[in-house]
Structures are given as C-alpha cells and as structure tokens.
Amino acid sequence: MGGCFSDLKGGKQAVGGTQARPTAMDKDPEHGEGNNEAVDMFYKSRGLHALFTQIELSFSAAKLRNLDILSKSDPMAVVYTKKSNGTLEELGRTEVILNTLDPVWIGKVPIAYQFEIIQPLVFRVFDVDTKFHNLPVKMLKLNEQEFLGEASCVLSEIVTKHTKTLTLNLQNRDGHVDVKRLGTLTIHAEETIASRRAVEMILHCSCLENKDLFSKSDPFLRISRIVESGGSVPICKTEVVNNNLNPIWKPICLTMQQFGSKDNPLVIECFDFNSSGKHEIIGKLQKSVADLERLHKEKLGANFHLPSPARQGHEKILKGQLFVDAFSERTLYSFLDYISSGFELNFMVAVDFTASNGNPRFPESLHYIDPSGRLNAYQQAIFEVGEVIQFYDTDKHFPAWGFGGRTTDGSISHCFNLNGNVGECEVEGVHGIMAAYANALHNVALAGPTLFGQVINKASQMASQSISYGQSKYFVLLIITDGVLTDAQETKDALVKASDLPLSVLIVGVGNADFKEMEILDADNGQRLESSTGRIAARDIVQFVPMREVHSGQLSVVQALLEELPSQFLTYMRSREIKPHFANEVPVST
C-alpha cells in the first residue's frame, strides 16, 4: 500500500474523525461531494483548494422605485463580490418578478463563506424591460436594463446577525442616497448543510497480525466512503497506537455529510504505520454505519480479510477483528450556528517592544512609522487580523498590550497597556489599536528580552473571568514579535494552562529571526505541548505564521493566521458540550 494521504503533517495524529469544521465543503472535481478536513488534505496533496462553508443568499426588497408608466417595475437582483483591486465579479442573479415594488425572490445565490477573509459584496437591483421577459436571466445584458439601486456590505455582517438577515438602504451608483428613497434590500444567509446529525464511535481491534520484526505493529484505521463510480474517498483516519496488536483508539465522530446514509457501505482499512509513508495493510473490511451500530448492540466483532495469495479473486479471513465499544448519535453545530446565535470573538493584541526591532526613528526599523502611510509589519498584522475579527465583536473594545519595553516609570515590563492608561487596557476599534501603538512608540523605550508568558497569562485571566458571566465569548490573542523566545518553557506552561479556556493565540513573526521555537508552539506536527509538570495541552490553541513566508506566497497574513480559528473554537465548545443559544431554547407548547 502506498503512502497514506494524512502524512502531510506528522502522520500519526487522527484526521477528520473529530470533525473540527463539519460544515466545511470542498468539491471533488469528479464527484462533486462535500467533505471534511481529512479529504481536504487528500485534495491539497493534489493541488486543490482549501475548505470553505457553502452558503445560499436569498433576497427580498421593499418600496422600490417605479420606472414603468402603465404598470410597476419588473425587478431582478444581481450579486457581485468586490475584488481587492476594486473590480466586481458577478456571483449570480435572481429571477425577474413581474409588476411589483416589493419583490420576494425565490432564486438563491450560492457563495463560499470563508471566516479568514473579508468578503465585500455589492447588490444591484434592475428593472427588466418587457421585451426581454422571454430571455433567461443569464442572457440579459445589464446595460440594457434600468438601474433601481444598489447596496453593499461584507458577508460577515450578514452571518453574524441573530437571524442571519440584514436590511440595507438602496443607493445610487455613486453611493449617495437619492432625495427620493430608492427602497430597501433584505439579504438572508443560510448554510447548505445536508444534516447536522453525526455518529460517535469508539473502535478497538484484537489479535491483529504483527508486521514488525523487532516490535509489534503500530496500527491505525482509515475509513473511506464508496462513491458511485466504484472508487472511494477517505473521510477519517484514527491516530496511530504504537506497539500494540489490540489497540483502542480515541473516539471518532462521522457526520451524515461524510457517510451519506447509515446504509452506505464504508471501507475500513487497518494499517501498520511506517515513518517512510509506506504503511503496510494489516486487513480491511466493508461495513455500513448501520452494521457498526449492530456490532455494538450485539457486542460482536467483525473479521478483517485480505486477498488470498493462493486463490485469485478470493478473500482470506483473518484472525484480527474490529469491535465497536461505544456508539451514539449526536448533533454537531457549526461555527456559524454559534456566531449567529450571539457567540462572540473578543480580539486582544500584544506587540513586541524589544530592542531587536531597531530604533523606530530609522526606516530600517520594524517599528518605523512611514510618513507616506505605508504600513509596517506590525501595523499590517493588527489591521488585517482586526478588520476580520471586529465583525464578530459587538462592542469593538479591544485589550491592547506591549511587552519587552521600558515604560515611563523606568522599569521593563512584559505586559503593559498600549494606551499608557494604567487602569484600562481597552481601546476602541482597530483604529484605536493603531493609534495606541503609534503613540506608545514615542513613550516606551525598546528593551527586552522576549517573554510571552505574562501576556498569555493576562489573556487567560480575562478568558477565565468571562466564563463566570456566561459561555458565549471566545478570546483571540494576537502576538506580534520579531524575536526568539527567551521564556520558552514558561510560555509552554502558560499555553497548556490556557488550553482549557475559551482562548486561541495567533502569533505573527516579523523580520528575519530564527522562529523554530515558535513552530514548536504551533502543534501542527501532532505533538501537543507539554508543561514543565508533564501536563499535556487539552487542545491546540496556537497558530504561528512568519510574515516573510506569507509574503513570498499567495496567502495573506490574515488567511494564514485565521484558517484554524473556527476549528479551535468548535473544539472548545464541543469539549465543554456548549450548544448555540437556539439549541437550548425550550419550544413553547400550544
């Protein structure tokens, strides 16, 4: 058997069976199926695109202008996405509704929602001329139709509303509201989820064949769904259990979106892990989810088999068996389920004021404020990440700290308020962070060393305090640094402690320092952080991105940093069995 698809990062960790981002969709160009991160890795290894969540936008309008003389307008809505260069790209059109100023369109426009980028949208409403009514809407030339008005927003503004619905005033093309009101456009977003239902199972094997010479096999399972063409698509891989012929794996969770229906056949393969990537097959079997449920109820095992070397076309039944120790059905809620029901992301920033950044007065300094307005690396990271996260925070009051600087009282501080206010660390809006940062460069002398521990502990304290007031806030700490960590173990201790809290830590490395220590903090290799007392982190809460690598590629800083945040958010909520607010509402009996 060739190398397993999951070896792109570490190889020994589980992939896909914990369903960190269950509604994320990707397109298999051959089958058009929606899959999860296990399949995403499978596709990424073939150069295909990353995960996103598929959304459908629906539209209605009220009090449109009437441009027809003998009847009312015949409106159609057109949706565009606004690219970074300012140009518009059409996403879709509704149908034309005849003779109405208050249309409720049936046609929906699909769009891929990506948390980690800002997605500006423009909506235009046209009155379609009667002579074109027999043409399909895709064939209509918009310059031949009468313009009724336009509106714009970013997709995050819609999906963060409690009802996922936003009403906008229509304006002229120049962005001004006409003296005569042009009416309103209402946009509603809905996730296209096949089902939120999922099954959680604990699997174990017994009497597996030993494939290693000087030790026992290191088994893992890979589960694939059989598709109509006869091939299979991998949906889940367990972690590797070292040196064990009777392994018990951690619980796996498969969504209905992954397995289709309980009667769909799944291929379950057991491999002996090899670090070369050439994993040796121990055995395979084919069972549906319904079959696995039966095995659990009847406390039976299913034998693995392999092609018989002696008789071509025949299967050899093996001694090794698969057992289902636990089986339960549950509901998995998506990131947008939480956000639209009132959960918030609270943004926090910590900026490196160590001397290795260089004197801020000189252009070669990483802290140099360019009079032309060109952002330095610190400003760029604050602005880009803050611009995305601010939509998920209602009051937009952000704690902002510095570390490694000599403050006005002459002492070196590793967690001081960026605004210079001793009693209050919060500033208002992203512009408030930018202003406090620029002002601090005049009042704080660069010093050192580079210590993260105090800042992470301060963020953890705020996250911990919020739990006593409710469980609807999740905190995101952005640390921007140019230096090599001096307090690596203290930082690991702080992160392990924080892994039990509603907190994620994003780290941006600026400049040309050696950031190997930072990469260890980001547990992308499957090795969770360990504290000095031997405690293992409850989950991965760190994402590290060196700015130089991002700039040399196609990703923006914000995309590279935020792509794991929805997964980390969901892992925390599910581990605490915290549900979206609507899931806890008791229906009123009538």
Side-chain angles (χ1 to χ4, degrees):
M1 189 73 187
C4 181
F5 68 95
S6 59
D7 289 341
L8 296 178
K9 282 188 177 180
K12 285 198 172 186
Q13 71 273 30
V15 183
T18 52
Q19 265 304 291
R21 201 171 174 180
T23 61
M25 305 277 285
D26 208 338
K27 293 292 180 185
D28 174 348
E30 189 176 350
H31 309 299
E33 300 288 344
N35 296 303
N36 75 323
E37 60 190 54
V39 185
D40 182 51
M41 282 193 176
F42 181 74
Y43 293 145
K44 272 184 177 175
S45 67
R46 287 152 176 77
L48 298 176
H49 296 297
L51 290 165
F52 54 82
T53 302
Q54 194 67 40
I55 279 178
E56 285 186 331
L57 300 179
S58 52
F59 307 90
S60 62
K63 298 181 180 177
L64 295 176
R65 280 192 301 169
N66 188 17
L67 298 182
D68 293 353
I69 298 172
L70 301 176
S71 62
K72 294 177 181 174
S73 295
D74 306 317
M76 172 186 73
V78 183
V79 186
Y80 305 85
T81 182
K82 194 172 189 177
K83 295 184 169 182
S84 55
N85 62 5
T87 59
L88 299 182
E89 179 183 312
E90 186 176 323
L91 292 178
R93 303 177 180 188
T94 66
E95 74 279 14
V96 177
I97 297 185
L98 302 182
N99 201 27
T100 180
L101 303 181
D102 302 288
V104 178
W105 289 282
I106 296 172
K108 294 175 172 56
V109 175
I111 181 171
Y113 163 76
Q114 288 178 272
F115 165 79
E116 59 267 25
I117 61 174
I118 294 177
Q119 295 170 275
L121 300 175
V122 174
F123 312 96
R124 288 179 178 166
V125 182
F126 295 89
D127 176 18
V128 176
D129 196 291
T130 310
K131 64 186 176 188
F132 298 117
H133 284 180
N134 291 327
L135 278 178
V137 290
K138 287 182 181 178
M139 302 286 290
L140 294 175
K141 294 181 179 177
L142 298 179
N143 60 1
E144 295 177 346
Q145 317 308 322
E146 291 193 88
F147 175 78
L148 292 176
E150 77 172 27
S152 59
C153 69
V154 299
L155 185 55
S156 322
E157 291 180 272
I158 306 171
V159 299
T160 52
K161 298 294 182 195
H162 177 60
T163 57
K164 296 196 188 85
T165 301
L166 182 67
T167 298
L168 301 168
N169 288 317
L170 290 170
Q171 302 174 329
N172 283 318
R173 286 184 196 267
D174 57 11
H176 296 306
V177 179
D178 200 279
V179 178
K180 296 177 182 176
R181 292 184 68 85
L182 304 184
T184 60
L185 180 71
T186 298
I187 309 105
H188 175 69
E190 199 160 344
E191 264 183 282
T192 53
I193 306 173
S195 173
R196 288 185 175 88
R197 298 304 296 163
V199 295
E200 187 170 272
M201 296 178 286
I202 296 177
L203 304 176
H204 93 260
C205 287
S206 68
C207 305
L208 293 177
E209 184 182 349
N210 191 16
K211 297 288 184 179
D212 292 349
L213 194 58
F214 300 109
S215 62
K216 294 175 183 174
S217 295
D218 307 314
F220 69 91
L221 297 176
R222 181 174 71 180
I223 301 176
S224 303
R225 185 181 76 246
I226 295 176
V227 292
E228 289 178 13
S229 64
S232 61
V233 174
I235 59 173
C236 167
K237 166 182 126 29
T238 68
E239 76 281 7
V240 173
V241 177
N242 290 326
N243 199 32
N244 198 323
L245 301 181
N246 301 284
I248 302 175
W249 288 280
K250 291 176 184 175
I252 62 169
C253 192
L254 302 177
T255 66
M256 195 172 284
Q257 210 166 308
Q258 289 174 277
F259 59 78
S261 81
K262 289 178 80 171
D263 295 318
N264 278 7
L266 301 175
V267 176
I268 303 175
E269 300 163 294
C270 186
F271 292 94
D272 176 26
F273 178 87
N274 286 307
S275 55
S276 66
K278 295 181 179 178
H279 312 308
E280 192 170 355
I281 184 102
I282 295 174
K284 64 190 286 187
L285 54 85
Q286 187 170 305
K287 295 287 179 188
S288 66
V289 169
D291 294 332
L292 295 172
E293 185 176 18
R294 262 192 303 277
L295 290 178
H296 170 64
K297 284 180 179 175
E298 297 170 10
K299 293 183 169 52
L300 296 175
N303 289 82
F304 286 104
H305 53 78
L306 282 176
S308 173
R311 301 176 64 190
Q312 196 169 1
H314 286 73
E315 295 284 326
K316 178 186 176 184
I317 307 297
L318 304 174
K319 189 179 177 183
Q321 287 187 309
L322 174 76
F323 292 86
V324 183
D325 293 347
F327 185 100
S328 61
E329 294 190 54
R330 56 186 290 199
T331 301
L332 284 186
Y333 298 102
S334 72
F335 178 69
L336 289 185
D337 286 333
Y338 287 93
I339 294 300
S340 65
S341 75
F343 283 71
E344 293 188 16
L345 301 180
N346 288 68
F347 184 43
M348 306 183 279
V349 176
V351 177
D352 184 333
F353 276 76
T354 56
S356 52
N357 283 282
N359 191 325
R361 291 186 302 229
F362 300 118
E364 58 270 19
S365 169
L366 293 167
H367 279 310
Y368 179 67
I369 305 288
D370 194 327
S372 72
R374 186 170 176 265
L375 301 182
N376 67 32
Y378 284 90
Q379 291 172 308
Q380 186 183 345
I382 293 167
F383 182 75
E384 288 193 8
V385 177
E387 279 287 281
V388 171
I389 294 183
Q390 67 172 344
F391 291 108
Y392 303 88
D393 189 326
T394 50
D395 70 4
K396 295 178 175 49
H397 287 158
F398 306 132
W401 303 290
F403 59 92
R406 191 180 300 277
T407 55
T408 49
D409 64 1
S411 64
I412 295 174
S413 172
H414 299 293
C415 185
F416 58 87
N417 295 343
L418 208 56
N419 59 9
N421 185 335
V422 177
E424 181 55 66
C425 64
E426 289 188 348
V427 297
E428 190 170 342
V430 176
H431 65 278
I433 304 174
M434 301 285 269
Y437 162 68
N439 194 48
L441 289 173
H442 295 293
N443 300 318
V444 178
L446 304 190
T450 305
L451 307 177
F452 286 178
Q454 289 185 35
V455 163
I456 294 170
N457 285 331
K458 183 70 175 175
S460 296
Q461 183 185 346
M462 295 181 76
S464 180
Q465 287 171 348
S466 79
I467 296 174
S468 58
Y469 297 108
Q471 297 181 312
S472 59
K473 290 185 184 295
Y474 190 89
F475 293 80
V476 181
L477 170 64
L478 172 66
I479 299 175
I480 316 167
T481 181
D482 84 311
V484 179
L485 263 183
T486 311
D487 66 337
Q489 190 56 59
E490 186 186 339
T491 297
K492 288 178 186 176
D493 290 348
L495 289 170
V496 170
K497 186 178 176 183
S499 68
D500 282 323
L501 296 169
L503 174 67
S504 285
V505 180
L506 312 176
I507 304 174
V508 175
V510 297
N512 296 310
D514 181 358
F515 291 119
K516 281 181 183 171
E517 195 69 48
M518 303 295 183
E519 288 163 5
I520 294 169
L521 301 181
D522 185 343
D524 277 351
N525 62 357
Q527 294 292 317
R528 287 190 183 173
L529 291 178
E530 186 174 338
S531 73
S532 53
T533 60
R535 185 183 166 202
I536 305 296
R539 59 193 179 94
D540 174 21
I541 66 168
V542 178
Q543 178 74 348
F544 168 70
V545 174
M547 186 85 88
R548 59 175 180 255
E549 287 184 19
V550 173
H551 282 169
S552 63
Q554 295 300 308
L555 275 180
S556 73
V557 176
V558 72
Q559 277 181 280
L561 266 182
L562 296 178
E563 61 185 0
E564 288 186 20
L565 191 52
S567 300
Q568 293 175 356
F569 173 95
L570 286 173
T571 301
Y572 175 79
M573 294 300 168
R574 289 175 185 162
S575 68
R576 297 294 182 280
E577 297 191 348
I578 301 169
K579 296 178 181 178
H581 296 315
F582 66 78
N584 298 316
E585 291 171 2
V586 180
V588 179
S589 56
T590 56

